[in-house]
Amino acid sequence: MICEEINGGKFCLLVDEARDQSNKEQMSIVLRFFNKDGFIMERFFGLVHVPDTTSKTLKNAIYSVLSRNNLNLKSIRGQGYDGTSNMRGNFKGLQALISNDCPYAYYVHCFAHRLQLALAAASQGVVALQKFFTRLSFVINVVGASSKRTDQLRDAQAEEIAYKISIDELDIGRVLNQIGTLQRAGYTRWSSHLKSVSSLIKMFSPTCEVLLKIIKDGTGSIKGDADLAYEAITTFEFVFVLHLEKEIMEITDLLCQSLQRQYQDICNALRLVASTKLLLQKMKDERWDGLLSLVMSFYQEHNIDIPDMSSPYFSRGARSRNEGSDHTLEHHYRVDIFYEAINCQLMEINHRFSDRSTELLRLSTTLDPKSVNEPFRSGDVIKLVEKFYPEDFNEQEKVVLKIQLQHYEIDVVQHADYKLLTFVSELFSTTTTERSFSAMNLIKTKLRNKMEDEFLNDSLVLHFERELAEKISLKTVVQDFKNAKDRRVPL
């Protein structure tokens, strides 16, 4: 049925791999194409067991599936994978191997995953930031290690809120002054780091109070852990980076959240990348004095001694007190941490969003109806054809295209009905492969794996593949997740 929908046309290939309950590597294949009515379709095509995840093995498995279904490999016009080396490698990665056979199968790395890698790399690229996130995780683990400490943290928050209300420092109202817990950051969702940092700033005093109680009443190693945690979070560097990272992540969080949306269009994504870089540069140029003042006020509010920023800074690697004495503490925090953190973030974003596929997407935005208020860029359409898809058009068609674009710019773009269009369907998404793995875990249970190992035969495999294809149908998968708790998969 899917092959009939494609009807010999061009299609994009979306691939990802994951391990199932029996620890077998499974590769999900999704095809993306225009149907005969001109709508973009995204179809789950198959789940294939592969012995390993080397690029050559994945390529052979993909080619086998496509050839069995009489799909022309030369019709591949796009590849969407994650950013691991076996997928995106320029020489031996899966995208490179397929591009050698299909030169117009351009690889587009998921924007959300690119940003995740850029933010994670920036957090590890500056020593002060790397130390900060290690200490932040340690503090959260110490305070949240037991329900008793969680209760102590809640009690300390309640006392602080009551005190601030009594001296008119807090407003009273619905949903205000909520009591919570310190948020743990997840590696795969960078936006969770903003919640983690923000929760510690909000609960800084209660956290310190809990740590002091553990130091006073605790025994053994936990007492030492609490002492180390308290010493870490009350240093000026930790508090400075805490506020610095909060402001940086507030700028990047909108881009993080937007790129996770299923219906995010590529035009808006590209604009958000550009505006994020501009805001980071603006923060670097204008925000130093305001950030330093904010950290100073925070220190005063929590009765912590403020260091003399004009005093000399001595690095840990200095061999004598005279080395590096030309640098003050202010210079260290401004240049070595503040500027370096923002520069590293900008460098990573520029690096992750500067490849050839970004130019392809930028040129494609010319066709988006949301650009009705901008001049139609017919030159970009011509460049798209001549640079990226030259073999899809013969010389006569290229000449005709230029004339057609002139008529299009006058006749279609200026038409009242054209201005009523909303958007070109979402482009270059790789989320369906992730949803196929979620459905796989619902169906391929431990009991089924045991049956598969002991009684595996061709009919069972065919039955499983048919059922999986039905479950991952885009029309039913959402409802399946909603009913997952009440549903049992028939054996």
Side-chain angles (χ1 to χ4, degrees), residues 236-415:
F236 186 84
E237 181 173 306
F238 183 92
V239 174
F240 178 82
V241 177
L242 180 68
H243 286 81
L244 171 63
E245 280 300 298
K246 179 176 181 291
E247 295 201 6
I248 290 178
M249 287 188 286
E250 283 176 341
I251 292 174
T252 60
D253 188 59
L254 178 61
L255 183 57
C256 280
Q257 299 294 336
S258 297
L259 294 180
Q260 297 294 332
R261 294 174 188 164
Q262 183 176 355
Y263 297 106
Q264 179 63 269
D265 67 271
I266 205 66
C267 295
N268 193 47
L270 292 173
R271 285 193 291 265
L272 281 173
V273 171
S275 62
T276 298
K277 292 191 288 187
L278 287 174
L279 287 173
L280 286 171
Q281 184 63 49
K282 184 177 181 180
M283 178 182 175
K284 177 186 173 183
D285 296 337
E286 303 176 2
R287 186 55 185 153
W288 162 252
D289 291 333
L291 179 65
L292 183 61
S293 177
L294 177 65
V295 175
M296 294 290 192
S297 299
F298 187 86
Y299 250 57
Q300 290 176 343
E301 179 184 348
H302 294 88
N303 298 318
I304 303 174
D305 292 335
I306 300 174
D308 182 5
M309 299 301 288
S310 62
S311 61
Y313 168 72
F314 301 99
S315 64
R316 181 174 294 182
R319 288 170 294 181
S320 69
R321 295 287 293 177
N322 293 325
E323 275 195 36
S325 57
D326 291 341
H327 289 175
T328 63
L329 275 178
E330 182 180 1
H331 179 277
H332 167 65
Y333 285 110
R334 186 178 74 252
V335 177
D336 299 338
I337 299 180
F338 179 76
Y339 288 162
E340 187 65 21
I342 299 176
N343 285 338
C344 188
Q345 191 69 87
L346 284 169
M347 181 185 69
E348 287 294 333
I349 293 178
N350 284 326
H351 170 65
R352 299 287 178 181
F353 293 90
S354 63
D355 60 6
R356 194 183 186 197
S357 66
T358 303
E359 182 186 7
L360 171 63
L361 300 181
R362 183 186 63 79
L363 294 174
S364 300
T365 61
T366 305
L367 305 174
D368 194 336
K370 284 188 176 179
S371 304
V372 292
N373 295 322
E374 302 174 3
F376 180 71
R377 306 189 305 272
S378 59
D380 284 356
V381 180
I382 295 171
K383 186 176 181 180
L384 195 62
V385 170
E386 293 178 343
K387 182 174 182 178
F388 289 93
Y389 303 104
E391 291 188 9
D392 286 345
F393 298 80
N394 59 41
E395 292 303 319
Q396 180 60 29
E397 287 173 334
K398 292 176 184 178
V399 173
V400 172
L401 176 63
K402 294 179 181 179
I403 303 300
Q404 288 177 334
L405 287 172
Q406 294 175 15
H407 285 278
Y408 181 86
E409 188 172 357
I410 297 173
D411 183 35
V412 179
V413 176
Q414 304 300 325
H415 199 282

Side-chain angles (χ1 to χ4, degrees), residues 403-459:
I403 303 300
Q404 288 177 334
L405 287 172
Q406 294 175 15
H407 285 278
Y408 181 86
E409 188 172 357
I410 297 173
D411 183 35
V412 179
V413 176
Q414 304 300 325
H415 199 282
D417 290 341
Y418 179 83
K419 300 181 184 300
L420 298 177
L421 297 176
T422 54
F423 60 89
V424 174
S425 297
E426 66 275 17
L427 300 175
F428 303 104
S429 167
T430 58
T431 56
T432 302
T433 52
E434 299 290 346
R435 290 196 288 272
S436 70
F437 293 138
S438 299
M440 174 184 72
N441 292 330
L442 290 175
I443 298 169
K444 207 167 186 299
T445 61
K446 290 183 179 179
L447 179 58
R448 174 157 272 157
N449 287 326
K450 186 176 180 181
M451 291 174 58
E452 184 179 308
D453 291 338
E454 294 181 2
F455 309 109
L456 187 62
N457 55 57
D458 290 342
S459 62

